[in-house]
Amino acid sequence: MREQWREAFGEMAREYWTDERTRELTGGKDLLVLPGEAPALLRALGLLHRDATMPPPQVSKYLQLNHMLWLMGPPLRELMERFGVLNFIDAGCGRSYLTTALAWCFRNVWEQPARILGVDINAKLVDECRRRTEITGLQDILRYEAADLDVFDSASAWKSAFGDGVDKTHAVISLHACDTATDDAIALGIAEEAELIAVAPCCQAELARGWKELDEADVDGAFRPIWQTPQLRRTSGAQITDTFRMLLLRAAGYETRVVEFVPSEHTPKNTLIRAMRRSDGDPEALEEYRELRRATGGVGIKLERLLEV
C-alpha cells in the first residue's frame, strides 16, 4: 500500500513540478532535494500538500533544509571518501527532519551505504518518526530508539536497530536539541570518537541561569552589567555558551567551525557548530576556555562536567 501511494504521489508531483515551476521555487540554484524528485520525502516532512504543491509558508523551511544539507556537504564528502558504510546517530532527534533528508540523499543522491539511528527521550515522537520513515520507504537506513542520552548505550542501541556489524559511529548530529541536550549530544560524539559532530543549539539557558545566581548573590565582576540585565544575560549567554562548546570541542581534538545556517531574519536559532576529529586534543583551547570562563564570572557549562576537564 505504501509503495502504491509513493508511486501515485510521485507521478502527481512530477506532472506538477515542471522545469519552470522548479526554477521559480529554487531561484535557479542546484539544490539536492527537489520536489519532483523527492515528493514522498517532502510530503512526509510536511513540506508538500496532498496535491503535491508547496504552500508559501513551507517554502522557507524547504530552502532552509536544503541549505543545511549544503553546509553538511564538505564533511560528508570527506567521510564518504574514507569509509564504506557510514553510521550516524541523531542525538535528540525530535521529528528527525534533517536525518530523514540525509537518509534520502544517501540513497538517491550520493548512492552511499549508510545507517542512521535517531535517539530521543520522547517515545511518542519516536513513533511519529517511525511512521514518517515508513512513508518515505527509508526504514532500512533510518531507525529509532527511545532513550535518555544520559544513560544511552550506543553499542546496544546499534545492535537492537541494525544487528551485528556496527563497530563505529562515524558521526553524531543534533538539530535544535534544547539547552543542555546539545551538550549531551556533543559529549556522546566525543565519547564515541566520532569523526564528525554537528549540532544546531537551541535555548541555551544554563549559563544565563548561573549568571543570574551571581547577580542575586551580589558577586562583583567585570561582566556584572550583563548578569544584571535579563535580555543581555539571555543573548550573551547563548553566544558565550556556543563559544564554550567550540573551545571544548577543539580541546578534545576537533577542528571546529561555527556558521550561520539560517538567516537571522527567519529565526534566531541559526547557529551550526560543525566539528571534524583531527587530533587527540588541544591544551591551548582548553586554557582559552578556562580563561573565558573566568572572565565571564566563573560559571561553566554541562559539557565541561560531562568531559571532566
Side-chain angles (χ1 to χ4, degrees):
M1 184 66 72
R2 294 285 194 196
E3 182 63 32
Q4 292 175 348
W5 173 84
R6 283 194 292 270
E7 290 180 4
F9 189 70
E11 183 177 348
M12 182 192 307
R14 286 187 290 273
E15 289 179 0
Y16 179 81
W17 287 101
T18 62
D19 290 343
E20 181 179 355
R21 282 189 172 128
T22 302
R23 280 194 302 271
E24 183 178 350
L25 172 68
T26 64
K29 295 179 181 178
D30 187 17
L31 304 184
L32 285 173
V33 179
L34 298 174
E37 297 177 1
L41 168 70
L42 296 178
R43 176 60 180 157
L45 297 182
L47 299 178
L48 287 185
H49 245 320
R50 64 181 62 187
D51 61 358
T53 63
M54 186 176 295
Q58 306 308 106
V59 172
S60 63
K61 295 181 181 179
Y62 165 78
L63 296 175
Q64 289 167 20
L65 177 65
N66 271 282
H67 186 58
M68 173 68 88
L69 292 169
W70 179 80
L71 287 173
M72 295 285 288
L76 288 178
R77 284 191 291 273
E78 180 179 331
L79 293 183
M80 286 187 279
E81 289 173 359
R82 292 169 55 193
F83 302 101
V85 180
L86 294 183
N87 302 316
F88 278 60
I89 291 177
D90 184 355
C93 65
R95 289 179 171 78
S96 195
Y97 292 144
L98 176 60
T99 39
T100 304
L102 278 173
W104 185 89
C105 287
F106 278 130
R107 169 172 289 171
N108 297 285
V109 179
W110 302 315
E111 298 181 347
Q112 169 74 33
R115 290 171 289 216
I116 302 175
L117 179 62
V119 182
D120 200 280
I121 195 171
N122 188 325
K124 289 184 178 179
L125 274 181
V126 166
D127 287 341
E128 180 184 331
C129 289
R130 288 177 177 142
R131 180 189 62 81
R132 183 181 297 111
T133 301
E134 289 176 2
I135 291 173
T136 58
L138 295 168
Q139 59 268 32
D140 59 325
I141 300 176
L142 179 55
R143 295 180 185 171
Y144 300 91
E145 175 92 0
D148 187 337
L149 289 177
D150 284 338
V151 294
F152 176 66
D153 181 347
S154 63
S156 175
W158 276 121
K159 185 173 183 179
S160 175
F162 290 96
D164 294 324
V166 181
D167 56 1
K168 176 168 178 62
T169 299
H170 298 106
V172 172
I173 65 175
S174 183
L175 182 62
H176 290 162
C178 194
D179 199 12
T180 60
T182 293
D183 296 308
D184 294 329
I186 294 173
L188 173 64
I190 293 173
E192 294 284 312
E193 297 185 346
E195 303 299 324
L196 167 66
I197 299 173
V199 298
C202 176
C203 307
Q204 305 94 313
E206 181 188 24
L207 194 55
R209 290 193 297 270
W211 288 349
K212 182 180 179 182
E213 291 175 3
L214 293 180
D215 178 47
E216 292 173 345
D218 204 27
V219 174
D220 196 17
F223 229 60
R224 189 173 180 181
I226 289 179
W227 305 340
Q228 294 176 320
T229 311
Q231 173 62 19
L232 296 179
R233 193 167 60 216
R234 287 191 298 270
T235 57
S236 298
Q239 297 294 328
I240 299 296
T241 295
D242 289 339
T243 306
F244 281 169
R245 288 165 172 162
M246 175 187 72
L247 291 171
L248 288 171
L249 275 162
R250 289 177 178 171
Y254 285 80
E255 179 183 88
T256 307
R257 294 187 61 197
V258 180
V259 298
E260 181 183 77
F261 76 89
V262 179
S264 56
E265 61 265 24
H266 295 304
T267 175
K269 303 170 186 177
N270 63 349
T271 297
L272 174 68
I273 302 174
R274 192 178 68 191
M276 290 292 289
R277 188 167 181 264
R278 301 298 188 199
S279 70
D280 292 332
D282 181 353
E284 291 184 6
L286 181 57
E287 184 54 34
E288 286 181 317
Y289 167 78
R290 289 170 175 163
E291 289 180 3
L292 183 58
R293 183 189 60 195
R294 285 192 294 267
T296 55
V299 179
I301 60 173
K302 184 179 182 181
L303 182 58
E304 174 190 355
R305 300 190 295 276
L306 291 171
L307 298 180
E308 300 181 345
V309 296

